[in-house]
Amino acid sequence: LTTPKSASLASATVKAAPATPAPGVVQPGLVKAGTQLSVQPPADRIKSLEAALEAEPYDLGAWDGRLREAIQEGKAEPVFERAVKQLPFAARIWAAYAEWSEMQDSAMALGVYSRCLQQVPNMDLWLSYLNFSKRHQTLEEVLRSYGRAIDLLGSDWRAAPVWSDYLALLKHAYNLKQKKENPDA
């Protein structure tokens, strides 16, 4: 028996989903209740995600869900630490950790980036770090960061944006130096 309120909740839940799942597949956070879907309480979602991680510790989908829940409950750092310990070469986990850390404290984010950049030479992770660097560091530090990225990833075919940004920064630094030396020009 559905009331108008529960019917609208169920339809709102189904409409909020970006893609329709395959028949018989229930999206994370939703449980079947008769013929309609209802939202699963956070504690139950966490419990089922933890069970999935215990059964398969390398399941990236389960880690993504667990990290999403940890961020929502405000206890993300220990879960991120578990995730990077279990998956030390998962660049997207490291990038998510660093980006979450930046929202907490830029020094914390810098610590996360310094831990992962040498062991995970991933273009997307480096791009995330370089953007962080441009937001929080001096021009000299940013140029050093770009130099490190070029040294490590410069021959990768996807490094063109890094080279382009680096050259633009060098030009900007040169122009600043010229303006400082000759303010009338």
Side-chain angles (χ1 to χ4, degrees):
L1 183 71
T2 58
T3 64
K5 186 176 180 179
S6 65
S8 66
L9 176 63
S11 65
T13 304
V14 174
K15 287 179 188 173
T20 53
V25 175
V26 178
Q27 294 175 340
L30 301 177
V31 291
K32 286 186 178 183
T35 59
Q36 68 188 79
L37 297 176
S38 61
V39 178
Q40 189 178 18
D44 292 345
R45 286 194 306 264
I46 291 169
K47 192 177 197 180
S48 66
L49 288 166
E50 287 291 342
L53 289 172
E54 191 171 318
E56 181 51 55
Y58 299 102
D59 181 357
L60 284 175
W63 278 112
D64 287 342
R66 182 61 185 102
L67 289 168
R68 198 170 25 257
E69 291 296 329
I71 289 169
Q72 287 177 353
E73 69 178 349
K75 300 174 184 172
E77 189 173 10
V79 179
F80 271 117
E81 285 296 329
R82 280 180 44 218
V84 297
K85 184 177 179 184
Q86 183 64 42
L87 304 163
F89 299 106
R92 79 174 188 202
I93 301 277
W94 279 107
Y97 188 12
E99 289 166 6
W100 173 82
S101 296
E102 183 179 358
M103 291 188 287
Q104 311 309 308
D105 176 41
S106 62
M108 181 180 175
L110 187 58
V112 172
Y113 280 120
S114 68
R115 285 173 54 200
C116 68
L117 286 173
Q118 291 304 315
Q119 73 183 29
V120 186
N122 176 278
M123 185 63 67
D124 294 328
L125 186 57
W126 271 94
L127 288 172
S128 175
Y129 169 67
L130 293 172
N131 287 326
F132 166 83
S133 181
K134 286 190 277 188
R135 287 190 300 271
H136 297 285
Q137 296 180 327
T138 66
L139 182 59
E140 290 173 1
E141 292 170 323
V142 172
L143 288 171
R144 270 196 301 273
S145 297
Y146 269 88
R148 285 179 47 216
I150 293 293
D151 288 345
L152 192 62
L153 304 167
S155 61
D156 188 316
W157 66 272
R158 297 171 298 159
V162 176
W163 280 102
S164 178
D165 286 352
Y166 186 47
L167 292 174
L169 281 169
L170 287 172
K171 183 178 176 181
H172 178 69
Y174 174 79
N175 289 338
L176 286 176
K177 182 179 177 186
Q178 291 300 316
K179 188 145 191 127
K180 189 181 240 182
E181 290 174 358
N182 189 2
D184 297 330

